[in-house]
Amino acid sequence: MEAIAKQSEVKNFIDGKFTKNMHETMDVISPLDGSIISKLPLSNYNDVDKAVNAAKKAFIGWSSQTLKERVQVFFKYRMLLEKNKDELTKLIRLENGKNYDEAKAEVEKSIELCEFAVSMPQIVVNEIQEVSKGVECRIERKPLGVVASITPFNFPNMVPHWTIPNALVFGNTMVMKPSEEVPLSTVRIAELLKEAGLPDGVFNLVNGGKEVVEAICDHPDIEAVSFVGSTKVAKIVYKRATSSLKRCVALGGAKNHLIVLPDANPGMTASNVVASMSGCAGQRCMAASVMVGVDKVQHIIDKMVEESKKIIPGKNLGAIISAEAKKRIEKYITEAEADGAKILVDGRNAVVSGKDEGFYVGVTIIDHVTTEMSVAREEIFGPVISIIRAKNLDEAIEIENGSNYGNAAAVFTQSGGLAKEVMDRASAGMIGVNIGVPVPREPFSFGGWNESKFGVGDITGRSSIEFWTQNKKVTTKWNPESQINWMS
Ligand code: NAD
């Protein structure tokens, strides 16, 4: 594949050019078969500094364009994503291990994110009002300057598009640090942005690990940091970025609870729950992780077991990101078993013929889990669902509320009244009613509660407009004859 050959070595992209690597490298491994697909430079503060300087220089010209001018680049870029969809899809699959269809859906979501960004001239209309006779006050939205975006492994193409289009159309310039596990997609994003006509220095890429993240948090010329990843790192980044007086939104991990009531439609519920926990091999921050079964739901659980048999590793179930992650997931299952839970479907030791070195875990359904077990409390990030039995809806909501996380929650029922109860009382930022993956689409914004997000506002949709801009309040009086009162 051409794109793979091109990226036999991942390079940083600074000021519109790929730079020569001067650092130690680490291997990039495909989860599909464990093969080494590229090498990644472990960059440091100096590389971040160079990228920031390029972004600062580019900010002058880019921010002086109008919003309508800037979105033209993203109209072209959106077409390039469409044109290169198949190649981008294969690249996601190669580095992340998800299925072709899941990877394709990811690129399609990136296209949708660009469509929201190019509609900003229609959405963002500045406010103006005559506040006293002849005196007008208006609000203008201005960019922040150089901003940064740090992304995780699970959506190599989509999560970068949560930030790039919106931040850039408002006139900011960016330094991005993708996950070291999936750096190839972002390299193609940089190339396509350039092809679309984005001026040099507006988008820069610095590859590496912790050291790059720390440099971003500390750099005095970066104004805002957007982070998506685990809660552990989200906390570190939020604390470090805000302590150096930056604006920060840091999205963390998840432990999403789906509450299933006995009146739920059995077929739809079983297939939705299984699709939610197994899609992208359970490596979605919106994936179902705990099912709280209220009262008599055995018939639904039986259907889930049946449903799970249709999901075959390596066929319609993608790979787990790394050997280490596979080991971690299997350890959780073993612990639950030792603690007395009942494994209804066991995905341990999955093998995919011809891909013995790949990282696969089959769908796993664990019943009779109790709230103190690690599978009930911690993020597993694999195709595993823990079923906790509850006597009634109050108890189910209490279990959901007991989680430290709060990304998503869902309820499955045919009763509007009971669904509303969960909508009102669940402690999560995104709620689904009869929907297992309740991702809000633009213009609605994406973001959780509790330890699933640190900072004010959400990362996408309308909410992101606030994050990527600052307001300038301008008061004007053009006619010297206008008499003003003391407040003007
Ligand atoms: P991660 O936290 O390990 O890594 C995210 C980023 O942080 C990467 O770029 C990585 O290089 C960097 N990083 C890792 N350790 C660091 C450290 N000690 N100091 C500084 N930087 C560090 O996350 P991941 O494994 O790539 O992604 C999976 C996690 O992301 C899951 O917890 C998942 O729930 C979460 N996630 C959340 C959302 C959301 O919207 N809330 C979306 C996608 C993924």
Side-chain angles (χ1 to χ4, degrees):
M1 247 169 79
E2 194 202 349
I4 301 165
K6 254 198 225 166
Q7 298 188 38
S8 54
E9 190 190 18
V10 173
K11 293 192 170 120
N12 291 342
F13 183 76
I14 297 178
D15 207 10
K17 292 166 243 7
F18 285 104
T19 63
K20 191 169 155 46
N21 177 29
M22 312 294 280
H23 300 294
E24 249 184 77
T25 58
M26 69 175 265
D27 293 339
V28 182
I29 293 168
S30 173
L32 293 174
D33 59 5
S35 62
I36 297 173
I37 50 170
S38 193
K39 291 203 178 297
L40 169 108
L42 293 169
S43 311
N44 60 23
Y45 188 94
N46 287 337
D47 303 290
V48 172
D49 191 46
K50 281 185 196 141
V52 171
N53 285 333
K56 260 174 85 175
K57 202 172 67 179
F59 180 75
I60 301 163
W62 182 241
S63 63
S64 67
Q65 292 188 23
T66 62
L67 178 58
K68 284 201 181 220
E69 283 171 327
R70 285 189 299 257
V71 301
Q72 297 311 314
V73 172
F74 281 89
F75 273 113
K76 292 195 196 105
Y77 176 71
R78 182 226 172 273
M79 299 314 288
L80 289 174
L81 288 180
E82 192 74 69
K83 188 174 151 203
N84 294 284
K85 196 193 284 183
D86 179 59
E87 181 218 321
L88 294 168
T89 299
K90 286 177 179 153
L91 202 51
I92 295 170
R93 175 161 162 71
L94 176 79
E95 63 178 346
N96 169 279
K98 64 181 71 173
N99 295 336
Y100 185 88
D101 286 350
E102 291 169 341
K104 183 162 153 263
E106 198 181 318
V107 182
E108 281 161 357
K109 184 65 204 175
S110 299
I111 290 171
E112 192 175 307
L113 288 155
C114 288
E115 287 165 359
F116 178 66
V118 298
S119 71
M120 288 300 181
Q122 278 66 48
I123 293 172
V124 179
V125 180
N126 293 335
E127 292 170 37
I128 182 162
Q129 193 180 86
E130 188 176 37
V131 290
S132 310
K133 201 68 202 147
V135 177
E136 285 171 355
C137 213
R138 66 179 189 182
I139 290 176
E140 296 176 358
R141 278 189 188 276
K142 298 289 181 191
L144 304 174
V146 180
V147 299
S149 178
I150 302 162
T151 56
F153 80 80
N154 63 332
F155 285 92
N157 191 297
M158 180 191 76
V159 171
H161 288 94
W162 278 0
T163 57
I164 300 169
N166 292 352
L168 299 196
V169 296
F170 282 115
N172 298 293
T173 55
M174 180 178 274
V175 176
M176 171 158 278
K177 207 265 339 148
S179 161
E180 59 273 46
E181 289 174 301
V182 294
L184 308 185
S185 293
T186 338
V187 169
R188 280 301 282 142
I189 291 169
E191 288 174 343
L192 294 178
L193 284 169
K194 187 166 168 114
E195 195 179 330
L198 192 75
D200 290 351
V202 173
F203 179 77
N204 305 276
L205 207 49
V206 182
N207 288 286
K210 188 175 168 207
E211 208 176 328
V212 177
V213 173
E214 290 175 350
I216 285 173
C217 293
D218 296 346
H219 200 292
D221 293 331
I222 293 179
E223 306 299 331
V225 176
S226 151
F227 172 89
V228 182
S230 62
T231 291
K232 180 177 146 231
V233 185
K235 283 182 183 172
I236 296 171
V237 168
Y238 187 77
K239 283 186 191 159
R240 197 155 172 157
T242 53
S243 79
S244 71
L245 308 177
K246 297 180 195 344
R247 190 179 280 204
C248 182
V249 67
L251 273 66
K255 187 82 192 165
N256 304 315
H257 288 56
L258 307 190
I259 297 176
V260 175
L261 296 170
D263 73 337
N265 178 296
M268 182 272 285
T269 303
S271 69
N272 259 250
V273 175
V274 172
S276 173
M277 53 84 70
S278 65
C280 298
Q283 299 167 110
R284 284 192 288 202
C285 65
M286 295 296 278
S289 185
V290 172
M291 168 180 149
V292 188
V294 178
D295 199 20
K296 296 193 174 65
V297 291
Q298 189 58 46
H299 61 299
I300 297 175
I301 295 170
D302 293 343
K303 274 197 180 299
M304 282 168 55
V305 171
E306 254 174 62
E307 200 64 38
S308 72
K309 303 263 158 71
K310 299 179 196 160
I311 300 172
I312 318 290
K315 226 178 184 180
N316 53 356
L317 181 67
I320 298 299
I321 189 65
S322 63
E324 195 193 354
K326 172 180 156 74
K327 219 162 112 191
R328 189 198 64 233
I329 296 164
E330 293 187 335
K331 186 162 168 264
Y332 273 116
I333 304 168
T334 304
E335 263 174 34
E337 193 173 36
D339 289 344
K342 191 167 170 212
I343 316 288
L344 300 183
V345 181
D346 192 348
R348 285 172 292 186
N349 308 314
V351 269
V352 173
S353 108
K355 291 183 174 156
D356 300 349
E357 304 300 316
F359 317 130
Y360 296 89
V361 176
V363 168
T364 301
I365 302 178
I366 313 176
D367 199 1
H368 299 291
V369 169
T370 56
T371 50
E372 1 19 280
M373 292 182 192
S374 56
V375 284
R377 288 181 289 104
E378 294 168 24
E379 183 176 41
I380 301 173
F381 225 51
V384 179
I385 193 153
S386 303
I387 303 172
I388 304 181
R389 307 287 188 132
K391 284 193 293 298
N392 52 42
L393 185 58
D394 278 340
E395 192 184 317
I397 293 175
E398 207 174 294
I399 291 166
E400 190 282 332
N401 287 179
S403 172
N404 291 341
Y405 296 97
N407 220 35
V411 59
F412 286 82
T413 179
Q414 297 189 57
S415 154
L418 297 178
K420 182 74 169 68
E421 191 78 10
V422 176
M423 285 161 64
D424 291 345
R425 291 170 59 197
S427 180
M430 294 171 278
I431 308 291
V433 175
N434 296 322
I435 292 186
V437 187
V439 175
R441 293 173 73 165
E442 289 59 40
F444 301 97
S445 58
F446 187 102
W449 282 8
N450 309 325
E451 297 211 337
S452 291
K453 194 193 72 188
F454 304 93
V456 178
D458 291 329
I459 198 162
T460 63
R462 282 184 193 277
S463 187
S464 71
I465 299 169
E466 291 298 328
F467 186 75
W468 296 120
T469 60
Q470 51 193 339
N471 284 343
K472 186 173 266 184
K473 282 69 63 179
V474 183
T475 308
T476 54
K477 177 168 81 73
W478 298 113
N479 188 341
E481 306 312 317
S482 300
Q483 194 33 56
I484 52 174
N485 65 29
W486 66 271
M487 286 239 289
S488 309

